[in-house]
């Protein structure tokens, strides 16, 4: 009786409610069983070719056979350990970071932000210490997605801080330059920025210089994201109380000292969730690099589905990529939410 | 660390001792930096272009485009100019953005309110919808609709037929075209009607404020909206006919001719854009409704307003105030995201102009600049319009 009462109250409290419950129930009945059939029950997991998929459901053999290509692009198979090595170090450091005492945390953080990216770039491209060179045109897949988004976010951070401070500056040239810069990049779509990187950058450099395509793309995305980053950080700067500015001035701190040691640490702590959201947006935008011919994970799927031996596998490929994107973005957004909650309680 | 602190201290001290330097130096440095970069780029660009024998300037816009565009709202063929092609692309961009904005708003409000429902099934559905679609790359969603879902449609000779006049097949969706006679009178009439309704509403409001007398505003407005167009249609002989799409088989290839054809690229793009953006709008709507104090509703109920009145007069106006600013941002994002059209070859401004026209003319600098400025103008006009609207609904504190 209690159960019945509960059901009546939660699902059938009014005619509209009852209608909603019934129609959603019908919708679930229509969609979920076929979906489970397709992805799991009728799906094929074992085999090596398209011919092994006879069950009528999803052909996960496609994803299995192309898995390395989706993750690493055209990176040579015998060199893949380099990527695995660098990303394992990254993951281990992030896990260790949580349990370290604050004194070492600082050093680990500096290591992760400055020397580590440079070292891993050297490792990826090779050419030193007897490692064979891997051209950036062979980089691809999820690996390229991560390289582009991580490097762009690292580079755009200092530019964003400077722009945010510039927008609040009382020097007119600096202020209006910052406003113009921020509003310009926020007003144009990323795809036109990438077009610019692809076809316009080479014209602006001295003839004969051949700037790598990947470098051009990272520069373009950095400039673009710096504008968004600046707006996020500006929000933090505005949230720091007026008293903090006055107090640091009163004890004789100048502009730079008060900003570096008093204002920015507080402001940046406030905007960690905003930075995480910027990173998520950037991560979701990386597939656009197809306009300059780089193939990240979605590009690799588009390449694989046109392979004559694997025609008609688009759905499986897209579902796989969607799953990867969803895992990354959902995890990051939950993480940023948890930080937000934590900040709420401490302040 | 203390070494760095010392350095910063010395810089700060120097700057505060020399206010003129503090004012002039950073600005002068920035200006010098900007001018040298611009000068460097201009020099390189001009020498590069001279070396390749490409001349500069916008005169190419008048040249013959000599390419065809698959879908356009105004007349276009390959003998027309690049400027005309630009206009076609721009109109297509505006078309898909407008469709996207309308549907994203409707879906966003629907799912935002559904997520607040007490019914766990309804709020669960809304949560799954929002959390799934917003965490998947938009380009992937466009590809999904275009390459997977729309490819399931049948071929032209056995299209799906809805209501006897909508035909859907793999080449697109075909609907009847409106053929008007004396359309211009009808449009003038409509404008006249709107003016009448506006004036009447002003008058009714004035009357209420002065005398307290309530006119049945809604009913009279509605009847005005019907009566005046009806009179105009009869007096000026306005007629509407439909030209239905017909199946035409030539050399074994079936195709529909006549009517309006909506290409699959447009459908896929509009679908993906509205679904993706609606998740963000839904979150704004939820935040807006949650942001209203419970006391407002209780106070409204206690002075005797009915449930619908509470919603219409108290909740919605206040919630809109919270919802509009972030939703404006989403409209801007949608417009900018419509540029992903290039990925599935919907002829928007990026594909037509920054793609085809650029390949043909090689004028990278001019074309990329025009494209970027176009988007800037679009963004700025949407934000000006929404700021104006926001000001209208904003709290007027007295």
């Amino acid at each position: 009786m209690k159960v019945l009462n509960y059901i009546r109250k939660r699902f059938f409290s009014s005619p509209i409610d009852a209608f909603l419950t019934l129609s959603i129930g019908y919708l679930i009945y229509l969609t979920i069983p076929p979906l489970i059939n397709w992805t799991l029950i009728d799906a094929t997991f074992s085999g090596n070719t398209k011919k092994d998929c006879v069950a009528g459901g999803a052909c996960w053999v496609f994803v299995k056979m192309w898995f390395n290509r989706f993750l690493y692009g055209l990176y040579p198979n015998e060199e893949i350990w380099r990527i695995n090595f660098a990303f394992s170090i990254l993951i281990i450091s992030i896990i260790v970071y949580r349990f370290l005492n604050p004194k070492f945390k600082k050093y680990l953080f500096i290591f992760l932000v400055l020397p580590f990216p440079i070292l891993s770039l050297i490792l990826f491209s090779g050419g030193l210490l007897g490692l064979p060179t891997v051209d950036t045109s062979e980089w691809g897949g999820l690996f390229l997605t991560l390289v582009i988004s991580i490097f762009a976010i690292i580079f755009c951070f200092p530019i964003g801080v400077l722009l945010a401070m510039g927008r609040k500056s009382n020097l007119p040239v600096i202020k209006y330059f910052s406003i113009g810069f921020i509003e310009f990049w926020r007003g144009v779509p990323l795809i036109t920025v990438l077009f610019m990187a692809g076809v316009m950058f080479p014209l602006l450099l001295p003839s004969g210089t051949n700037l790598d395509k990947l470098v051009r793309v990272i520069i373009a995305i950095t400039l673009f994201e710096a504008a968004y980053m600046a707006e996020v950080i500006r929000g933090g700067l505005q949230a720091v109380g007026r008293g903090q500015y006055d107090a640091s001035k009163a004890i004789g701190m100048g502009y730079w000292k008060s900003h570096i040691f008093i204002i920015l640490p507080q402001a940046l702590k406030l905007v960690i969730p905003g930075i995480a959201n910027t990173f998520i947006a950037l991560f979701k935008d990386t597939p656009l690099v197809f306009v300059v011919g780089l193939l990240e994970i979605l590009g690799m799927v588009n390449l694989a589905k046109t392979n004559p031996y694997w025609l008609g596998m688009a759905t499986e490929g897209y579902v796989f990529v969607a799953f990867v994107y969803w895992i990354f973005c959902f995890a990051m957004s939950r993480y940023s939410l948890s930080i937000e909650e934590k900040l709420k309680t401490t302040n | 660390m203390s070494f760095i602190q010392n350095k910063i201290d010395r810089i700060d001290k120097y700057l505060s001792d020399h206010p003129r330097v503090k004012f002039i130096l950073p600005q002068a440095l920035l200006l010098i930096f900007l001018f040298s970069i611009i000068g460097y780029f201009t020099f390189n660009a001009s020498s590069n272009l001279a070396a390749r024998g490409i001349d500069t300037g916008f005169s190419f816009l008048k040249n013959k485009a000599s390419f065809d565009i698959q879908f356009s709202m105004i007349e276009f063929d390959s003998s027309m100019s690049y400027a005309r092609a630009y206009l076609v692309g721009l109109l297509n961009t505006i078309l898909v953005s407008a469709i996207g904005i309308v549907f994203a708003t409707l879906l966003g409000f629907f799912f935002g309110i559904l997520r607040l429902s007490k019914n766990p099934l309804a709020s669960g559905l809304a949560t799954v919808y929002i959390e799934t679609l917003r965490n998947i790359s938009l380009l992937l969603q466009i590809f999904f609709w275009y390459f997977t879902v729309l490819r399931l449609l049948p071929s032209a000779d056995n299209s799906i037929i809805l209501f006897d006049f909508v035909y859907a097949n793999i080449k697109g969706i075909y609907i009847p075209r409106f053929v008007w006679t004396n359309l211009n009178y009808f449009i003038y009439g409509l404008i006249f009607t709107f003016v009448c309704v506006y004036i009447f509403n002003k008058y009714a409001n004035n009357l209420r404020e002065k005398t307290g007398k309530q006119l049945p505003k809604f009913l009279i407005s509605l009847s005005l909206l019907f009566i005046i167009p009806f009179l105009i249609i009869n007096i000026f002989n306005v007629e509407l006919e439909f030209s239905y799409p017909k199946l035409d088989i030539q050399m074994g290839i079936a195709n529909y001719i006549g009517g309006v054809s909506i290409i699959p690229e447009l459908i896929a793009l509009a679908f993906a854009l509205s679904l993706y953006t609606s998740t963000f709008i839904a979150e704004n709507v939820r935040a807006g409704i949650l942001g209203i104090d419970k006391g407002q509703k209780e106070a409204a109920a206690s002075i005797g307003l009915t449930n619908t009145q509470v919603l219409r007069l108290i909740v919605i106006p206040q919630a809109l105030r919270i919802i509009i600013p972030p939703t404006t941002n989403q409209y801007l994002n949608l417009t900018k995201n419509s540029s992903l059209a290039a990925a599935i070859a919907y002829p928007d401004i990026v594909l037509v102009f920054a793609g085809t026209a650029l390949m043909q003319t090689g004028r990278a600098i001019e074309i990329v600049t025009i494209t970027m400025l176009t988007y800037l103008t679009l963004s700025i006009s949407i934000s000006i319009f929404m700021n104006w609207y926001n000001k209208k609904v904003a709290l007027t504190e007295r």
Side-chain angles (χ1 to χ4, degrees), chain A residues 160-294:
Chain A
V161 171
L162 286 179
L163 282 172
M165 283 166 68
R167 196 166 181 169
K168 285 180 64 88
S169 160
N170 44 21
L171 308 175
V173 174
I174 291 184
K175 183 175 175 184
Y176 288 108
F177 168 75
S178 307
I179 293 179
F181 187 94
I182 292 171
E183 294 305 330
F184 174 76
W185 293 109
R186 273 161 44 95
V188 296
L190 181 58
I191 205 164
T192 58
V193 178
L194 290 170
F195 259 108
M196 195 181 83
V199 296
M200 211 166 115
F201 273 9
L203 288 178
L204 300 179
L205 295 172
S207 55
T209 44
N210 194 6
L211 199 54
D212 191 89
K213 211 193 269 170
L214 181 61
V215 177
R216 276 185 271 149
V217 163
I218 291 181
I219 292 175
I221 296 184
T222 302
L223 292 174
F224 182 79
E225 289 297 329
Y228 287 86
M229 190 61 104
E231 285 299 275
V232 169
I233 293 170
R234 186 167 71 112
L237 288 178
Q238 279 168 349
V240 174
R242 169 102 217 135
Q244 299 288 327
Y245 288 88
D246 293 343
S248 53
K249 212 181 251 172
I251 57 168
M253 287 180 149
Y255 179 81
W256 287 102
K257 196 175 181 187
S258 62
H259 268 88
I260 294 174
F261 295 105
I262 309 289
I263 311 293
L264 280 175
Q266 298 184 51
L268 294 182
K269 198 180 137 198
L270 285 177
V271 295
I272 290 173
I275 294 173
N277 288 339
T278 314
F279 185 71
I280 294 173
L282 168 62
F283 186 79
K284 277 191 294 185
D285 276 345
T286 41
L288 302 195
V289 297
F290 81 91
V291 293
V292 293
L294 292 175

Side-chain angles (χ1 to χ4, degrees), chain A residues 68-75 83 87 121 124 135-152 212-215 217-218 221 279 282-283 285-290 292-300 325:
Chain A
N68 271 358
R69 299 282 75 81
F70 291 164
L71 287 198
Y72 307 107
L74 304 174
Y75 213 83
I83 301 173
F87 279 99
L121 258 196
F124 295 151
D135 197 66
T136 51
S137 60
E138 290 169 55
W139 299 19
L142 184 63
F143 160 62
L144 186 67
T145 308
L146 290 172
V147 164
I148 291 176
S149 39
I150 292 176
F151 276 93
D212 191 89
K213 211 193 269 170
L214 181 61
V215 177
V217 163
I218 291 181
I221 296 184
F279 185 71
L282 168 62
F283 186 79
D285 276 345
T286 41
L288 302 195
V289 297
F290 81 91
V292 293
L294 292 175
L295 297 175
E296 47 64 75
I297 181 164
L298 183 55
M300 286 310 297
Y325 268 102

Side-chain angles (χ1 to χ4, degrees), chain B residues 15-79:
Chain B
L15 289 179
S16 63
D17 287 349
H18 301 80
R20 285 188 77 100
V21 176
K22 189 183 174 183
F23 186 75
I24 294 170
L25 185 71
Q27 308 199 54
L29 280 180
L30 181 66
L31 283 180
I32 293 170
F33 174 71
L34 279 183
F35 280 117
S36 47
I37 275 203
I38 292 171
Y40 180 68
F41 282 164
T42 328
F43 172 74
N44 285 332
S46 58
S47 63
N48 279 336
L49 292 175
R52 291 183 200 184
I54 307 174
D55 38 77
T56 50
F58 294 97
S59 56
F60 76 95
L61 283 173
K62 289 200 290 287
N63 295 354
K64 214 176 98 173
S66 58
F67 59 82
D68 269 316
I69 299 177
Q70 185 203 4
F71 176 81
S72 96
M73 302 208 297
I74 52 176
E75 241 174 274
F76 184 82
D77 62 61
S78 51
S79 65

Side-chain angles (χ1 to χ4, degrees), chain B residues 31-339:
Chain B
L31 283 180
I32 293 170
F33 174 71
L34 279 183
F35 280 117
S36 47
I37 275 203
I38 292 171
Y40 180 68
F41 282 164
T42 328
F43 172 74
N44 285 332
S46 58
S47 63
N48 279 336
L49 292 175
R52 291 183 200 184
I54 307 174
D55 38 77
T56 50
F58 294 97
S59 56
F60 76 95
L61 283 173
K62 289 200 290 287
N63 295 354
K64 214 176 98 173
S66 58
F67 59 82
D68 269 316
I69 299 177
Q70 185 203 4
F71 176 81
S72 96
M73 302 208 297
I74 52 176
E75 241 174 274
F76 184 82
D77 62 61
S78 51
S79 65
M80 288 174 175
S81 65
Y82 283 111
R84 183 85 174 178
Y86 165 82
L87 196 64
V88 171
L90 178 63
L91 284 176
N92 282 343
T93 293
I94 294 176
L95 173 73
V96 75
S97 312
I99 296 175
I101 285 176
V102 171
F103 284 103
T105 312
L106 294 177
L107 283 171
F109 270 80
F110 177 71
F111 281 104
I113 293 168
L114 200 63
R115 201 173 177 181
L116 289 172
S117 161
K118 283 192 207 83
N119 186 334
L121 213 52
S123 64
L125 177 79
T127 310
V128 168
Y129 172 87
I130 291 169
E131 293 296 344
T132 316
L133 290 183
R134 70 185 280 158
N135 282 320
I136 295 174
S137 186
L138 174 61
L139 188 64
L140 175 58
Q141 297 190 32
I142 294 175
F143 281 152
F144 181 77
W145 290 109
Y146 186 60
F147 286 118
T148 338
V149 178
L150 290 180
R151 289 288 156 91
L152 294 177
L153 286 173
S155 63
D157 33 357
N158 37 22
S159 333
I160 302 171
I161 300 171
L162 297 170
F163 316 116
D164 270 357
F165 57 83
V166 177
Y167 303 85
N169 61 48
I170 198 155
K171 286 177 184 160
I173 291 177
Y174 297 82
I175 54 171
R177 183 195 296 276
F178 296 143
V179 183
W180 293 89
T181 34
N182 293 333
L183 176 65
N184 45 349
Y185 290 112
F186 187 64
I187 290 175
Y188 298 141
L190 271 189
I191 295 171
F192 175 70
T193 319
F194 284 124
V195 172
C196 283
V197 170
Y198 180 75
I199 291 172
F200 167 72
N201 272 314
K202 275 251 151 165
Y203 167 76
N205 281 345
N206 266 337
L207 197 73
R208 195 192 63 207
E209 273 173 22
K210 272 190 196 137
T211 62
K213 209 175 135 194
Q214 292 252 24
L215 289 177
K217 245 186 350 188
F218 184 71
L219 261 180
I220 296 184
S221 305
L222 202 68
S223 39
L224 274 180
L225 272 182
F226 276 103
I227 293 167
I228 302 180
F230 179 75
L231 287 177
I232 287 166
I233 286 171
N234 282 320
I235 296 169
F236 292 106
N237 257 334
V238 180
E239 269 170 40
L240 172 63
E241 277 175 16
F242 298 104
S243 121
Y244 290 97
K246 280 188 208 74
L247 189 64
D248 173 60
I249 300 176
Q250 268 183 355
M251 310 205 293
I253 299 167
N255 213 343
Y256 277 93
I257 51 170
V260 180
S261 79
I262 306 169
I263 55 172
E265 287 83 6
L266 174 62
I267 301 167
L269 191 64
F271 241 99
L273 280 175
S274 9
L275 292 183
Y276 181 74
T277 314
S278 74
T279 62
F280 294 91
I281 295 179
E283 286 298 87
N284 296 342
V285 169
R286 185 170 76 112
I289 293 175
L290 284 180
I292 296 166
D293 200 35
K294 215 173 126 198
Q296 292 282 330
K297 284 179 223 165
E298 290 166 359
S302 75
I303 57 169
L305 296 185
T306 64
N307 259 341
T308 31
Q309 275 176 326
V310 173
L311 205 65
R312 199 165 61 86
L313 299 172
I314 309 293
V315 177
I316 289 175
Q318 295 191 69
L320 275 185
R321 222 175 269 149
I322 309 176
I323 293 169
I324 286 171
T327 303
T328 315
N329 262 332
Q330 292 311 324
Y331 290 165
L332 288 177
N333 282 344
L334 189 146
T335 312
K336 283 185 279 170
N337 282 335
S338 73
S339 60

